């Protein structure tokens, strides 16, 4: 069986690339396609020397640094991949990968990290953050996103089976594409986050500091709880806002971006991991659970698939009052939360579990095709 794996773009070894890594474990002889490949040499190990077949965007001016500016050309680019002769096509999609063209006798399964959020429900937020609320560029961007929405929905019709990475994403797929989706959670390196035993009493938040992560909300909540110690790890465009919220507060420690071994140590020794973002899934929350660390998380998005009553607490809204109330509720319930239960919960999201579930899903589809 000839297999093709289609990925959007290869820029860094992050969450969606970890999915590609496991797909290549399932089908080690598969051919890999991407709109463009700008992975640094230091992060290419998961490809194991495998060549990447790229689109014409790879050769356009300044594409290595500014390939996202060619978003309007990406639907055309992905449609140019010649996939004739492949029995199975698996796309890893958060923008355009699912738009590859397949024909009769080919099975196309798309693993969806998210529909294009900046083209759908987050368009207005994207325009505000990009400074594109007015002017000629705003008009062009709105037109482009309008075109992308039409293409995004029409290209979804060419996929034989859609697999979402959480129930939340399955709901979004149903909303924007009017298609059902199976749910298979993404692979998490639970072995890299071993169970911790000695707790040092601090609460922890570790996240890239971008607006939707709402790190500043967590910091503001702990300003009002001087008896609770918070450690903040991460960096990004919103770091100044976080520093401003934490200024002069002795119970809050900003660590910035820390090495991986230090992040693991801080997670293993934390009293709880606090998370205020509405995530598509939330790999960081699973990593905390793997360490036996309870969760205090916003109750929308992927957290609903991760947090169980015996492993953490969900709070109902993104506000300092809701976070502070959840921390106090956790303090009352914490003796009943067993680190071993948190660890067992995290194992549901291991790489081996992902491979087994995804392989079974595809084999079932192939059997149905053969019987038809």
């Amino acid at each position: 069986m000839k297999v093709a794996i289609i990925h959007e773009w290869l820029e860094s070894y992050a969450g969606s690339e970890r999915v590609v890594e496991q797909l290549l474990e399932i089908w080690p002889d598969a051919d890999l396609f991407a709109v463009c490949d700008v992975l640094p040499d230091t992060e290419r190990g998961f490809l194991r020397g495998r060549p990447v077949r790229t689109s014409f965007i790879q050769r356009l001016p300044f594409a290595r640094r500014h390939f996202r500016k060619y978003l309007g050309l990406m639907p055309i680019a992905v449609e140019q991949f010649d996939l004739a002769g492949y029995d199975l096509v698996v796309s890893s999609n958060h923008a355009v990968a699912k738009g590859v063209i397949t024909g009769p006798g080919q099975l196309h399964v798309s693993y969806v990290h998210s529909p294009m959020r900046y083209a759908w429900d987050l368009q207005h937020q994207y325009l505000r953050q990009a400074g594109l609320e007015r002017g000629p560029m705003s008009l062009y961007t709105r037109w482009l996103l309008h075109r992308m929405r039409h293409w995004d929905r029409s290209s979804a019709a060419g996929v034989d089976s859609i697999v979402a990475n959480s129930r939340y994403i399955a709901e979004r797929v149903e909303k924007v594409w009017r298609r059902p989706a199976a749910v298979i959670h993404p692979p998490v390196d639970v072995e890299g986050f071993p169970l911790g035993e000695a707790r040092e009493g601090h609460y922890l938040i570790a996240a890239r500091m971008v607006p939707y992560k709402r790190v500043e909300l967590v910091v503001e909540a702990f300003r009002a709880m001087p008896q609770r110690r918070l450690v903040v790890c991460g960096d990004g465009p919103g770091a100044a806002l976080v520093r401003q919220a934490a200024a002069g507060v002795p119970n809050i420690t900003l660590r910035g971006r820390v090495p991986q071994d230090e992040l693991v140590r801080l997670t293993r020794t934390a009293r709880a991991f606090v998370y205020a973002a509405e995530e598509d899934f939330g790999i960081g929350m699973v990593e905390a659970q793997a360490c036996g660390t309870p969760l205090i998380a916003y109750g929308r998005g992927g957290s609903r698939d991760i947090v169980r009553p015996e492993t953490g607490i969900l709070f109902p809204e993104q506000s300092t009052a809701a976070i502070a109330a959840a921390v106090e509720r956790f303090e009352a319930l914490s003796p009943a939360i067993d680190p071993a239960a948190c660890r067992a919960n995290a194992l549901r999201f291991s790489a081996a579990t992902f491979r087994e579930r995804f392989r079974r899903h595809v084999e079932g589809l192939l059997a149905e095709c053969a019987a038809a």
Side-chain angles (χ1 to χ4, degrees):
M1 184 173 66
K2 286 195 67 177
V3 181
I5 295 173
I6 321 298
H7 191 50
E8 238 89 48
W9 50 74
L10 291 163
E11 182 185 21
S12 63
Y13 180 58
S16 61
E17 287 72 32
R18 293 173 192 269
V19 169
V20 171
E21 179 180 27
Q22 297 307 315
L23 295 177
L24 293 170
E25 287 285 330
I26 299 172
W27 297 288
D29 295 324
D31 292 326
L32 179 60
F33 295 78
V35 169
C36 58
D37 175 11
V38 295
L39 264 177
D41 291 341
T42 55
E43 298 187 38
R44 303 188 71 84
F46 75 100
L47 297 178
R48 298 184 181 178
R50 181 180 281 97
V52 180
R53 305 183 188 193
T54 56
S55 74
F56 66 81
I57 288 178
Q58 183 83 17
R59 300 182 294 278
L60 294 180
F62 312 110
R64 290 198 65 84
R65 294 188 61 185
H66 301 291
F67 61 86
R68 287 180 178 83
K69 293 185 178 179
Y70 292 114
L71 177 65
L73 293 176
M74 288 185 184
I76 300 172
V78 80
E79 289 171 353
Q80 302 316 302
F81 289 137
D82 183 2
L83 302 179
Y86 289 97
D87 305 292
L88 172 64
V89 175
V90 181
S91 56
S92 165
N93 182 87
H94 59 75
V96 300
K98 75 178 188 314
V100 292
I101 297 173
T102 56
Q106 294 178 294
L107 177 66
H108 179 187
V109 181
S110 186
Y111 188 82
V112 177
H113 308 280
S114 175
M116 284 188 288
R117 301 190 72 175
Y118 44 85
W120 291 98
D121 51 313
L122 293 187
Q123 173 186 294
H124 300 293
Q125 179 179 321
Y126 166 76
L127 292 171
R128 282 196 301 272
Q129 292 172 0
L132 293 171
E133 291 182 277
R134 295 180 178 83
M137 278 303 296
S138 173
L139 183 62
Y140 166 74
T141 304
R142 292 172 191 271
W143 172 83
L144 174 61
L145 294 178
H146 172 75
R147 293 289 301 271
M148 292 297 289
R149 279 191 293 275
H150 282 276
W151 179 87
D152 191 45
R153 177 173 287 176
S154 64
S155 62
V159 179
D160 297 300
S161 176
I162 296 174
V163 180
N165 70 354
S166 67
R167 287 182 295 156
Y168 175 62
I169 294 304
E171 291 165 3
R172 296 193 66 246
V173 165
E174 174 66 31
K175 174 70 175 179
V176 302
W177 296 343
R178 302 303 182 189
R179 292 286 306 274
V183 175
I184 299 177
H185 299 114
V188 181
D189 178 22
V190 293
E191 300 308 318
F193 288 79
L195 181 65
E197 295 179 359
R199 303 285 159 176
E200 295 180 357
H202 63 272
Y203 290 82
L204 175 69
I205 179 170
R208 179 165 165 74
M209 293 183 184
V210 291
Y212 88 92
K213 297 286 189 180
R214 308 309 306 268
V215 177
E216 80 287 350
L217 271 185
V218 177
V219 170
E220 289 167 4
F222 276 81
R223 284 181 67 102
M225 297 183 290
Q227 75 280 20
R228 313 287 183 211
R229 188 158 62 93
L230 177 68
V231 175
V232 183
C233 296
D235 203 353
L241 185 62
V242 175
R243 285 194 295 269
Q244 181 180 351
V249 184
N251 64 309
I252 299 173
T253 303
L254 303 183
R255 294 292 305 273
R257 187 174 180 179
V258 299
Q260 182 69 9
D261 58 347
E262 178 63 5
L263 176 61
V264 172
R265 187 193 70 80
L266 288 167
T267 307
R268 295 181 71 198
T269 57
R271 183 162 179 76
F273 189 86
V274 187
Y275 212 69
E278 182 179 335
E279 289 283 10
D280 297 333
F281 177 64
I283 286 175
M285 289 185 279
V286 177
E287 291 171 342
Q289 293 271 271
C291 293
T293 302
L295 294 174
I296 302 172
Y298 177 46
R300 279 184 54 85
S303 63
R304 293 181 300 155
D305 289 13
I306 298 169
V307 181
R308 289 179 163 176
E310 65 271 22
T311 71
I313 288 174
L314 296 174
F315 52 89
E317 63 182 33
Q318 291 173 309
S319 70
T320 56
I323 295 169
V327 170
E328 296 306 322
R329 188 155 54 97
F330 168 78
E331 285 292 330
L333 298 175
S334 61
I337 298 179
D338 183 4
C342 296
R343 173 75 182 178
N345 183 39
L347 294 179
R348 296 187 293 132
F349 308 102
S350 70
T353 299
F354 171 84
R355 291 194 302 270
E356 177 61 25
R357 293 192 64 199
F358 200 85
R359 182 188 290 110
R360 281 205 317 265
H361 180 76
V362 172
E363 287 175 351
L365 293 169
L366 289 169
E368 289 176 10
C369 292

